[in-house]
Amino acid sequence: MAQRTRLTKQTINDMFAKFEANNPHPEGELDYVNIFTLLVAVVLSAQATDAGVNKATKALFDVADTPEKMYALGEDKIRDYIKTIGLYRNKAKNVYALCKALIEQHNSEVPEDREALEALPGVGRKTANVVLNIGFGHPTIAVDTHLFRIANRTGLAPGKNVLAVEKLLLKTIPKDYLLHAHHWLILHGRYICKARKPECYHCIIVDECKFKDKVMEAGKK
């Protein structure tokens, strides 16, 4: 049986109205200079923090902000730039192959198409969703661990896997809020609705949330 939201339409609308009022123009926390460097940054961010990726890519993007420049560096030099990031060897290999594919198959342009993006080395559905959303303004939802947790914890979009949660979020969230929904939810999960110690005592959507074990005092578990 397909999962359904545990919240009413009015409650969901109230939830996202609060997110919008609190942060009208949310932005991702990965640094980039163009859509190509955005794609590379997102590929590098898998199982790594945005802050850690930003620290490594600052110098990399200064010398290589196009597929040609980065491909010209070669896999070994790319690896040297990103060696502080987890899984850096495999990521360097993917970035190098990604640049080659963009040059040879896409005229050095990042494709505005999910299927074409997912065909690139190191690019999965989540990465494609982030690039489509931030780079091209598509109302996509990239479900990471934060979004998966919040969707289930709040009752907004319960699901047993990331694809189920993504589909239910797209179906459930009002269209007027879809473009920024990904950012609101990920930032909320990163700073307020944390995995081990959710800070419900200063959560702006505490009244809408269906979580049974709310932590209403700092220092409580």
Side-chain angles (χ1 to χ4, degrees):
M1 183 177 175
Q3 293 285 95
R4 294 187 298 176
T5 182
R6 294 171 55 210
L7 309 181
T8 66
K9 285 185 178 181
Q10 185 60 55
T11 298
I12 295 168
N13 197 76
D14 291 346
M15 177 184 286
F16 283 93
K18 288 182 177 181
F19 280 137
E20 183 178 56
N22 183 63
N23 187 3
H25 304 290
E27 295 181 353
E29 296 184 317
L30 283 172
D31 294 336
Y32 62 96
V33 295
N34 53 33
I35 293 180
F36 166 67
T37 54
L38 169 66
L39 173 60
V40 172
V42 180
V43 167
L44 295 177
S45 71
Q47 294 179 292
T49 65
D50 287 359
V53 172
N54 292 340
K55 190 175 180 180
T57 56
K58 187 180 187 306
L60 175 61
F61 293 162
D62 281 345
V63 299
D65 59 358
T66 68
E68 289 88 354
K69 290 178 183 177
M70 197 161 293
Y71 186 70
L73 283 179
E75 185 180 332
D76 290 349
K77 283 191 177 180
I78 294 171
R79 188 170 63 236
D80 287 342
Y81 276 104
I82 66 168
K83 61 187 177 184
T84 56
I85 302 174
L87 308 174
Y88 70 96
R89 294 182 186 278
N90 194 52
K91 288 177 179 179
K93 183 178 180 179
N94 280 335
V95 169
Y96 183 67
L98 173 95
C99 294
K100 187 173 189 288
L102 289 175
I103 294 166
E104 295 180 352
Q105 300 169 26
H106 300 285
N107 196 32
S108 298
E109 298 288 335
V110 175
E112 189 178 353
D113 176 81
R114 177 189 301 284
E115 190 174 337
L117 283 167
E118 289 187 34
L120 295 170
V123 179
R125 185 177 182 89
K126 185 174 73 172
T127 295
N129 277 336
V130 174
V131 173
L132 289 170
N133 182 270
I134 298 176
F136 295 104
H138 291 214
T140 55
I141 302 282
V143 179
D144 67 353
T145 55
H146 296 302
L147 267 80
F148 188 78
R149 178 175 67 254
I150 290 176
N152 279 282
R153 183 181 275 174
T154 62
L156 175 62
K160 293 183 179 180
N161 57 65
V162 292
L163 185 57
V165 168
E166 179 190 331
K167 289 183 175 179
L168 188 51
L169 284 171
L170 289 169
K171 180 180 177 182
T172 303
I173 297 170
K175 288 185 179 180
D176 288 348
Y177 297 118
L178 262 180
L179 180 61
H180 294 315
H182 160 79
H183 286 124
W184 285 322
L185 292 171
I186 193 171
L187 292 171
H188 192 67
R190 187 172 287 167
Y191 298 110
I192 304 296
C193 196
K194 300 173 184 178
R196 294 184 179 178
K197 295 182 179 180
E199 298 177 7
C200 310
Y201 47 88
H202 65 116
C203 171
I204 62 173
I205 59 164
V206 66
D207 292 335
E208 288 75 26
C209 176
K210 290 286 188 180
F211 185 43
K212 290 188 293 184
D213 302 315
K214 291 175 182 173
V215 180
M216 300 309 294
E217 290 182 44
K220 291 290 182 70
K221 292 184 179 180

